[in-house]
Amino acid sequence: MGFPNDPNDAGASPGSTKRRGERSGAGRRRTTRLRRSPHFWVSVIVLIAAAFVSRAEPSFLVGVRESLFDSYQRLEPRVARDAPVRIVDIDEESLARLGQWPWPRSRLAELLQKLDDARATTVALDILLAEPDRTSPSRLLLPRWQGASSHGEGAEALPDYDQQLAATMATGRVVTGFALVEAGLTALPAMKAGLAFVGEGGGSDDAPAAAAVLASVPGAAGAVGTLPMFEHAAKGNGALSISLSAGGVIRRLPLLLQAGGHILPSLGAEALRVAQGSDTYVVKVADGGHGIDEVQIGAYRIPTDRAGQIWLYASKPVTSRFIPAWKVIVGEVPPAELEGRIVLIGSTARGLQDVHQTPLGDDVPGVEFHAQALEQVIHEVYLRRPDWAKGAEILTLLALGATVLTVGSRAGPTWTAVCAGAGVVGAFAVSWEAFIAVGLLLDPLFPAATVIAVYFVSSLLRHLQTEREQRWIRMAFASYISPKLVNALIEDPGQLQLGGERRELTFLFTDLEGFTPLVERTPPAVVVPALNAYLDGMIRIAFAHDGTVDKIIGDAVHIMFGAPVADPAHAERAIACALEIDRFAKDFARQKRSEGLAFGQTRIGVNSGIAIVGNFGGALRFDYTAHGDAINTAARLEGANKYLGTRLCVSEETARRSATFFGRPAGNLLLKGKTEPVRVFEPLDPGAVDDDALRAYEAAFALLEAGDPAAEAAFAATVGRAPEDGLAAFHLRRLRAGQTGSTVILTEK
């Protein structure tokens, strides 16, 4: 390539000019080859695409980045230093000593009084007090006292625990809570503090700033608040919600939220405000009026993201944060342990706590997140991801990628690999140093991944081709057996050997009523597509609930849960699967009947028990299946539906293994070939149950089991109320035929 001002060209001869032209032509040929290199242009496309992806921040990129930041916290967690924050824990021992939840409000009043006597600065209730105390004597005995006015007494003379609690709150510095919900706003939670806005959009006219903040902070359509008497008595009122996402790791905690178009504080923010005696939140609006930069609460200026959230810098759980509630009430806690501290009242008891995961991987109750956030603010230990971080990461990505491209076009693969490796190591080193030194969260992953992608683009394409072929094979194989079994066999090919093991499983059998006559009188061109669509829907539901389809025999489907991969929730999954299959089958049959195809109803039987599961057969062909009496019982329960007038029949063995089971007893079935009856239930969909009808049936069934002659009249009334209730009609027919008790002898399968 020629340069007009090249000093080596001075006084050059025509020959040298020719050589210069040759060199220039060679340079042009090299440039042409470079321009025509497909790998170069693919690498350029990868680099440009990566820059656009990084700028767009898709959810997968954010998820990977935040997982990396979680790893940083695991490597260097926040050191838990003592702070004036304590959690009074309604733990298992407190419930055992003082009674099960919910406690009478008088007990909560006693707890608040003890904390006030110990001179706690602020008490924040991580408890939703949305309904009146049903144990209050003024509510329990109101009917009796209404008739006692002639004795000079009245209900107003009885203790009212809610009023006691409100009176206790009024004497201290208490913060109550409300919960954000997706339902519409029925009543706006009380706002105990003012809002002031500074920065762009703030000042004399707060409307633009308020609108900007409202559009930025997380929230919901409505809220469930605490009782007005408690809100009025409390000094503060904040949102209990620590996250509005469904599950997952909690990485950010809101200081401000919104409900129904109103800005509201969080419980932790209110606790900090009340502890300082402040009456205003000062919100610094970000440049351009897009979101929030900072929230000032009293003396604390708290940097936030644009949504008004702080990044959680988690510490490991420490026992010193927690004080059992029973110790406070009985006076076993030294006053010095509570004096001058912000006290959060919450629970770690099973069934009461709302458990979430910290970036450290620890499952902790929601109240601890509020406590850790307060510790961070008090000690001024923050993690920050500033607005310029994304721009810096894109520039790093482009610079590293361009460097690898340049080196790759001029040097061999070894030096290019060294350059790429140095870029990856450098990106991670800078990110880690920024984290431990000043708490900055800079993402090295995507720049590093881009460098690797630019270098290994051809290998990546070959890998994607191979993976695409493997994925096709897996999908084809999964068309024949459960994807769960496919994955289990891929992870452990040893399972392809003949043999089995004893294991507790749950089995689900289905059968289509009137299938044989339907096939005989319907043309194949009509019945085959309908049957295939029906079976496809059933199988999809089974796979969605981690079931393994054992067999398909005609219209019948046999599904097992808990194999090949052991699953402690096999019974619960089977019941959920049965309910969803029932809903699908009803809708499918209704649709087909509207099309003129007499599609029958689907009967389902579910049972749990010990069975031998594994590969059975010979060297040429074998089948992954299960054998045992539990399977036969499930099949018999499916058939029992046609006698009971039900569509679903679940054994007691399955029902008691499911913590969430909801249903009604159907009877004690003495199945053909059995000597002991099997107690069975009809599972119900909680969202589609008439509570009054269910209570009427249960009362009638209790009379039936007790052998009470009044059972016949009770079932007659139940059937009169719900003529479509086949199970109630079945027991009524039995009683009218002279049969008694709940044991039903089935003489056929």
Side-chain angles (χ1 to χ4, degrees), residues 510-516 518-520 522-539 552-557 584 588-589 592 595 597 599-600 602:
T510 75
D511 190 50
L512 182 61
E513 184 180 57
F515 174 69
T516 301
L518 177 67
V519 171
E520 291 175 349
T522 308
V526 175
V527 73
V528 171
L531 179 61
N532 287 340
Y534 169 77
L535 292 175
D536 181 70
M538 305 271 277
I539 294 168
I552 300 175
I553 303 175
D555 62 293
V557 181
F584 163 77
F588 190 87
K592 291 303 170 185
E595 298 172 0
L597 186 62
F599 220 80
T602 299

CSV table of all heavy atoms in Angstrom, one decimal, residues 510-516 518-520 522-539 552-557 584 588-589 592 595 597 599-600 602:
chain,number,residue,atom,x,y,z
A,510,THR,N,-57.2,-43.6,33.4
A,510,THR,CA,-58.3,-42.9,32.8
A,510,THR,C,-59.0,-43.9,31.9
A,510,THR,O,-58.4,-44.8,31.3
A,510,THR,CB,-57.9,-41.6,32.0
A,510,THR,OG1,-57.3,-42.0,30.8
A,510,THR,CG2,-57.0,-40.8,32.8
A,511,ASP,N,-60.3,-43.6,31.6
A,511,ASP,CA,-61.1,-44.4,30.7
A,511,ASP,C,-62.2,-43.6,30.1
A,511,ASP,O,-62.8,-42.8,30.9
A,511,ASP,CB,-61.6,-45.7,31.3
A,511,ASP,CG,-62.2,-46.7,30.3
A,511,ASP,OD1,-61.5,-47.0,29.3
A,511,ASP,OD2,-63.4,-47.1,30.5
A,512,LEU,N,-62.4,-43.7,28.8
A,512,LEU,CA,-63.5,-42.9,28.2
A,512,LEU,C,-64.8,-43.7,28.1
A,512,LEU,O,-64.8,-44.8,27.5
A,512,LEU,CB,-63.0,-42.6,26.7
A,512,LEU,CG,-63.9,-41.7,25.9
A,512,LEU,CD1,-64.2,-40.4,26.6
A,512,LEU,CD2,-63.3,-41.5,24.5
A,513,GLU,N,-65.8,-43.2,28.7
A,513,GLU,CA,-67.1,-43.9,28.7
A,513,GLU,C,-67.7,-44.0,27.3
A,513,GLU,O,-67.7,-43.1,26.5
A,513,GLU,CB,-68.0,-43.1,29.6
A,513,GLU,CG,-69.4,-43.7,29.8
A,513,GLU,CD,-70.3,-42.9,30.7
A,513,GLU,OE1,-70.5,-41.7,30.4
A,513,GLU,OE2,-70.7,-43.4,31.8
A,514,GLY,N,-68.2,-45.2,27.0
A,514,GLY,CA,-68.8,-45.5,25.7
A,514,GLY,C,-67.9,-45.4,24.5
A,514,GLY,O,-68.4,-45.1,23.4
A,515,PHE,N,-66.6,-45.7,24.7
A,515,PHE,CA,-65.7,-45.6,23.6
A,515,PHE,C,-65.9,-46.7,22.5
A,515,PHE,O,-65.9,-46.4,21.3
A,515,PHE,CB,-64.2,-45.7,24.1
A,515,PHE,CG,-63.2,-45.7,23.0
A,515,PHE,CD1,-63.0,-44.6,22.2
A,515,PHE,CD2,-62.5,-46.9,22.8
A,515,PHE,CE1,-62.0,-44.6,21.2
A,515,PHE,CE2,-61.5,-46.9,21.8
A,515,PHE,CZ,-61.3,-45.8,21.0
A,516,THR,N,-66.1,-47.9,23.0
A,516,THR,CA,-66.3,-49.0,22.0
A,516,THR,C,-67.5,-48.8,21.1
A,516,THR,O,-67.4,-48.9,19.9
A,516,THR,CB,-66.4,-50.3,22.7
A,516,THR,OG1,-65.2,-50.5,23.5
A,516,THR,CG2,-66.6,-51.5,21.7
A,518,LEU,N,-68.9,-46.0,20.3
A,518,LEU,CA,-68.5,-44.8,19.5
A,518,LEU,C,-67.7,-45.2,18.3
A,518,LEU,O,-68.0,-44.8,17.2
A,518,LEU,CB,-67.8,-43.8,20.4
A,518,LEU,CG,-67.3,-42.5,19.6
A,518,LEU,CD1,-68.5,-41.7,19.2
A,518,LEU,CD2,-66.4,-41.7,20.5
A,519,VAL,N,-66.7,-46.1,18.5
A,519,VAL,CA,-65.9,-46.5,17.4
A,519,VAL,C,-66.7,-47.3,16.4
A,519,VAL,O,-66.5,-47.2,15.2
A,519,VAL,CB,-64.7,-47.4,18.0
A,519,VAL,CG1,-63.9,-48.0,16.8
A,519,VAL,CG2,-63.8,-46.5,18.8
A,520,GLU,N,-67.6,-48.2,16.9
A,520,GLU,CA,-68.3,-49.1,16.0
A,520,GLU,C,-69.3,-48.3,15.1
A,520,GLU,O,-69.6,-48.7,14.0
A,520,GLU,CB,-69.1,-50.1,16.9
A,520,GLU,CG,-68.2,-51.1,17.5
A,520,GLU,CD,-68.9,-52.0,18.5
A,520,GLU,OE1,-70.1,-51.8,18.7
A,520,GLU,OE2,-68.3,-53.0,18.9
A,522,THR,N,-69.1,-44.9,14.3
A,522,THR,CA,-68.5,-43.7,13.7
A,522,THR,C,-67.5,-44.0,12.7
A,522,THR,O,-66.6,-44.9,12.9
A,522,THR,CB,-67.9,-42.8,14.8
A,522,THR,OG1,-68.9,-42.6,15.9
A,522,THR,CG2,-67.5,-41.4,14.3
A,523,PRO,N,-67.5,-43.3,11.5
A,523,PRO,CA,-66.5,-43.6,10.5
A,523,PRO,C,-65.1,-43.3,11.0
A,523,PRO,O,-64.9,-42.3,11.8
A,523,PRO,CB,-66.8,-42.6,9.4
A,523,PRO,CG,-68.3,-42.3,9.6
A,523,PRO,CD,-68.5,-42.3,11.1
A,524,PRO,N,-64.1,-44.1,10.6
A,524,PRO,CA,-62.7,-43.9,11.1
A,524,PRO,C,-62.2,-42.4,10.8
A,524,PRO,O,-61.4,-41.9,11.6
A,524,PRO,CB,-61.9,-44.9,10.3
A,524,PRO,CG,-62.9,-46.0,10.0
A,524,PRO,CD,-64.2,-45.3,9.8
A,525,ALA,N,-62.6,-41.9,9.7
A,525,ALA,CA,-62.1,-40.5,9.3
A,525,ALA,C,-62.6,-39.5,10.3
A,525,ALA,O,-62.0,-38.4,10.4
A,525,ALA,CB,-62.6,-40.2,7.9
A,526,VAL,N,-63.6,-39.8,11.1
A,526,VAL,CA,-64.1,-38.9,12.1
A,526,VAL,C,-63.6,-39.2,13.5
A,526,VAL,O,-63.1,-38.3,14.2
A,526,VAL,CB,-65.7,-38.9,12.1
A,526,VAL,CG1,-66.2,-38.0,13.3
A,526,VAL,CG2,-66.2,-38.4,10.8
A,527,VAL,N,-63.6,-40.5,13.9
A,527,VAL,CA,-63.3,-40.9,15.2
A,527,VAL,C,-61.8,-40.8,15.5
A,527,VAL,O,-61.3,-40.5,16.6
A,527,VAL,CB,-63.8,-42.2,15.6
A,527,VAL,CG1,-63.1,-43.4,14.9
A,527,VAL,CG2,-63.8,-42.5,17.1
A,528,VAL,N,-60.9,-41.2,14.5
A,528,VAL,CA,-59.5,-41.3,14.7
A,528,VAL,C,-58.9,-39.9,15.0
A,528,VAL,O,-58.1,-39.7,16.0
A,528,VAL,CB,-58.8,-41.9,13.5
A,528,VAL,CG1,-57.2,-41.8,13.6
A,528,VAL,CG2,-59.2,-43.4,13.4
A,529,PRO,N,-59.2,-38.8,14.2
A,529,PRO,CA,-58.6,-37.5,14.6
A,529,PRO,C,-59.1,-37.0,16.0
A,529,PRO,O,-58.4,-36.4,16.7
A,529,PRO,CB,-59.1,-36.6,13.5
A,529,PRO,CG,-59.4,-37.5,12.3
A,529,PRO,CD,-59.9,-38.8,12.9
A,530,ALA,N,-60.4,-37.3,16.3
A,530,ALA,CA,-60.9,-36.9,17.6
A,530,ALA,C,-60.2,-37.6,18.7
A,530,ALA,O,-59.8,-37.0,19.7
A,530,ALA,CB,-62.4,-37.2,17.7
A,531,LEU,N,-60.0,-38.9,18.5
A,531,LEU,CA,-59.3,-39.7,19.6
A,531,LEU,C,-57.8,-39.2,19.7
A,531,LEU,O,-57.3,-39.1,20.8
A,531,LEU,CB,-59.3,-41.2,19.3
A,531,LEU,CG,-58.6,-42.1,20.2
A,531,LEU,CD1,-59.2,-42.0,21.6
A,531,LEU,CD2,-58.6,-43.5,19.8
A,532,ASN,N,-57.2,-39.0,18.6
A,532,ASN,CA,-55.8,-38.5,18.7
A,532,ASN,C,-55.7,-37.1,19.4
A,532,ASN,O,-54.8,-36.9,20.2
A,532,ASN,CB,-55.2,-38.4,17.3
A,532,ASN,CG,-54.9,-39.7,16.7
A,532,ASN,OD1,-54.7,-40.7,17.4
A,532,ASN,ND2,-54.8,-39.8,15.3
A,533,ALA,N,-56.6,-36.2,19.1
A,533,ALA,CA,-56.6,-34.9,19.8
A,533,ALA,C,-56.9,-35.1,21.2
A,533,ALA,O,-56.3,-34.4,22.1
A,533,ALA,CB,-57.7,-34.0,19.1
A,534,TYR,N,-57.8,-36.0,21.6
A,534,TYR,CA,-58.1,-36.3,23.0
A,534,TYR,C,-56.9,-36.8,23.7
A,534,TYR,O,-56.5,-36.3,24.8
A,534,TYR,CB,-59.2,-37.3,23.0
A,534,TYR,CG,-59.5,-37.9,24.4
A,534,TYR,CD1,-60.2,-37.2,25.4
A,534,TYR,CD2,-59.1,-39.2,24.7
A,534,TYR,CE1,-60.5,-37.8,26.6
A,534,TYR,CE2,-59.4,-39.8,25.9
A,534,TYR,CZ,-60.1,-39.1,26.9
A,534,TYR,OH,-60.4,-39.6,28.1
A,535,LEU,N,-56.2,-37.8,23.1
A,535,LEU,CA,-55.0,-38.4,23.8
A,535,LEU,C,-53.9,-37.4,23.8
A,535,LEU,O,-53.1,-37.4,24.8
A,535,LEU,CB,-54.6,-39.7,23.0
A,535,LEU,CG,-55.6,-40.9,23.1
A,535,LEU,CD1,-55.1,-42.0,22.2
A,535,LEU,CD2,-55.7,-41.4,24.5
A,536,ASP,N,-53.7,-36.6,22.8
A,536,ASP,CA,-52.6,-35.6,22.8
A,536,ASP,C,-52.8,-34.6,24.0
A,536,ASP,O,-51.9,-34.3,24.7
A,536,ASP,CB,-52.6,-34.9,21.5
A,536,ASP,CG,-51.5,-33.8,21.4
A,536,ASP,OD1,-50.3,-34.2,21.4
A,536,ASP,OD2,-51.8,-32.6,21.5
A,537,GLY,N,-54.1,-34.2,24.2
A,537,GLY,CA,-54.3,-33.3,25.3
A,537,GLY,C,-54.0,-33.9,26.6
A,537,GLY,O,-53.4,-33.3,27.6
A,538,MET,N,-54.4,-35.2,26.8
A,538,MET,CA,-54.2,-35.9,28.1
A,538,MET,C,-52.7,-36.1,28.3
A,538,MET,O,-52.2,-35.9,29.4
A,538,MET,CB,-54.8,-37.3,28.0
A,538,MET,CG,-56.3,-37.3,27.6
A,538,MET,SD,-57.3,-37.2,29.1
A,538,MET,CE,-57.3,-38.9,29.6
A,539,ILE,N,-51.9,-36.4,27.3
A,539,ILE,CA,-50.5,-36.7,27.4
A,539,ILE,C,-49.8,-35.4,27.8
A,539,ILE,O,-48.9,-35.3,28.6
A,539,ILE,CB,-49.9,-37.3,26.2
A,539,ILE,CG1,-50.5,-38.7,26.0
A,539,ILE,CG2,-48.4,-37.4,26.2
A,539,ILE,CD1,-50.2,-39.3,24.6
A,552,ILE,N,-50.8,-46.5,26.8
A,552,ILE,CA,-52.0,-46.0,26.1
A,552,ILE,C,-52.7,-47.2,25.5
A,552,ILE,O,-52.1,-47.8,24.5
A,552,ILE,CB,-51.7,-44.9,25.1
A,552,ILE,CG1,-51.0,-43.7,25.7
A,552,ILE,CG2,-53.0,-44.5,24.4
A,552,ILE,CD1,-50.6,-42.7,24.8
A,553,ILE,N,-53.8,-47.6,26.0
A,553,ILE,CA,-54.5,-48.8,25.5
A,553,ILE,C,-55.9,-48.3,25.0
A,553,ILE,O,-56.8,-48.0,25.8
A,553,ILE,CB,-54.7,-49.9,26.6
A,553,ILE,CG1,-53.4,-50.3,27.2
A,553,ILE,CG2,-55.5,-51.1,26.0
A,553,ILE,CD1,-53.5,-51.2,28.3
A,554,GLY,N,-56.0,-48.2,23.7
A,554,GLY,CA,-57.2,-47.6,23.1
A,554,GLY,C,-57.4,-46.2,23.5
A,554,GLY,O,-56.6,-45.3,23.2
A,555,ASP,N,-58.5,-46.0,24.3
A,555,ASP,CA,-58.8,-44.7,24.8
A,555,ASP,C,-58.2,-44.5,26.2
A,555,ASP,O,-58.3,-43.4,26.7
A,555,ASP,CB,-60.3,-44.5,24.8
A,555,ASP,CG,-61.0,-45.5,25.7
A,555,ASP,OD1,-60.9,-46.7,25.4
A,555,ASP,OD2,-61.5,-45.0,26.8
A,556,ALA,N,-57.7,-45.5,26.8
A,556,ALA,CA,-57.3,-45.5,28.2
A,556,ALA,C,-55.8,-45.0,28.3
A,556,ALA,O,-55.0,-45.5,27.5
A,556,ALA,CB,-57.5,-46.8,28.9
A,557,VAL,N,-55.5,-44.2,29.3
A,557,VAL,CA,-54.2,-43.8,29.5
A,557,VAL,C,-53.8,-44.1,31.0
A,557,VAL,O,-54.5,-43.9,31.9
A,557,VAL,CB,-54.1,-42.2,29.4
A,557,VAL,CG1,-52.6,-41.8,29.6
A,557,VAL,CG2,-54.5,-41.8,28.0
A,584,PHE,N,-60.1,-30.7,31.2
A,584,PHE,CA,-59.9,-30.8,29.7
A,584,PHE,C,-60.9,-31.8,29.1
A,584,PHE,O,-61.4,-31.5,28.0
A,584,PHE,CB,-58.4,-31.3,29.5
A,584,PHE,CG,-58.2,-31.9,28.1
A,584,PHE,CD1,-58.1,-31.0,27.0
A,584,PHE,CD2,-58.2,-33.2,27.9
A,584,PHE,CE1,-57.9,-31.5,25.7
A,584,PHE,CE2,-58.0,-33.7,26.6
A,584,PHE,CZ,-57.8,-32.9,25.5
A,588,PHE,N,-63.5,-31.0,26.2
A,588,PHE,CA,-63.3,-31.6,24.9
A,588,PHE,C,-64.6,-32.4,24.5
A,588,PHE,O,-65.0,-32.3,23.4
A,588,PHE,CB,-62.2,-32.6,25.0
A,588,PHE,CG,-61.7,-33.2,23.7
A,588,PHE,CD1,-60.8,-32.6,22.9
A,588,PHE,CD2,-62.3,-34.4,23.3
A,588,PHE,CE1,-60.4,-33.1,21.7
A,588,PHE,CE2,-61.9,-35.0,22.1
A,588,PHE,CZ,-61.0,-34.3,21.3
A,589,ALA,N,-65.2,-33.1,25.5
A,589,ALA,CA,-66.4,-33.8,25.2
A,589,ALA,C,-67.6,-32.9,24.8
A,589,ALA,O,-68.4,-33.1,23.9
A,589,ALA,CB,-66.8,-34.7,26.4
A,592,LYS,N,-67.0,-31.8,21.2
A,592,LYS,CA,-67.3,-32.8,20.3
A,592,LYS,C,-68.8,-33.1,20.1
A,592,LYS,O,-69.3,-33.3,19.0
A,592,LYS,CB,-66.5,-34.1,20.6
A,592,LYS,CG,-65.0,-34.0,20.4
A,592,LYS,CD,-64.7,-33.6,19.0
A,592,LYS,CE,-63.2,-33.2,18.9
A,592,LYS,NZ,-62.9,-32.7,17.5
A,595,GLU,N,-70.3,-30.8,17.9
A,595,GLU,CA,-70.0,-31.1,16.5
A,595,GLU,C,-70.8,-32.3,16.0
A,595,GLU,O,-70.6,-32.8,14.9
A,595,GLU,CB,-68.5,-31.3,16.4
A,595,GLU,CG,-67.7,-30.0,16.7
A,595,GLU,CD,-66.2,-30.3,16.7
A,595,GLU,OE1,-65.8,-31.5,16.4
A,595,GLU,OE2,-65.4,-29.4,17.0
A,597,LEU,N,-70.6,-35.4,17.5
A,597,LEU,CA,-69.9,-36.7,17.9
A,597,LEU,C,-70.2,-37.0,19.4
A,597,LEU,O,-69.9,-36.2,20.3
A,597,LEU,CB,-68.4,-36.5,17.7
A,597,LEU,CG,-67.6,-37.8,17.9
A,597,LEU,CD1,-67.9,-38.9,16.9
A,597,LEU,CD2,-66.1,-37.4,17.8
A,599,PHE,N,-69.4,-38.0,22.3
A,599,PHE,CA,-68.2,-38.2,23.1
A,599,PHE,C,-68.6,-38.4,24.5
A,599,PHE,O,-69.3,-37.5,25.1
A,599,PHE,CB,-67.2,-37.1,22.9
A,599,PHE,CG,-65.7,-37.6,22.8
A,599,PHE,CD1,-65.2,-38.1,21.6
A,599,PHE,CD2,-64.9,-37.5,23.9
A,599,PHE,CE1,-63.9,-38.5,21.6
A,599,PHE,CE2,-63.6,-37.9,23.9
A,599,PHE,CZ,-63.1,-38.4,22.7
A,600,GLY,N,-68.2,-39.5,25.2
A,600,GLY,CA,-68.5,-39.7,26.6
A,600,GLY,C,-67.7,-39.0,27.5
A,600,GLY,O,-66.7,-38.3,27.2
A,602,THR,N,-65.0,-38.8,30.8
A,602,THR,CA,-63.7,-39.5,31.2
A,602,THR,C,-63.8,-39.8,32.7
A,602,THR,O,-64.0,-38.9,33.5
A,602,THR,CB,-62.5,-38.7,30.8
A,602,THR,OG1,-62.5,-38.4,29.4
A,602,THR,CG2,-61.2,-39.4,31.3
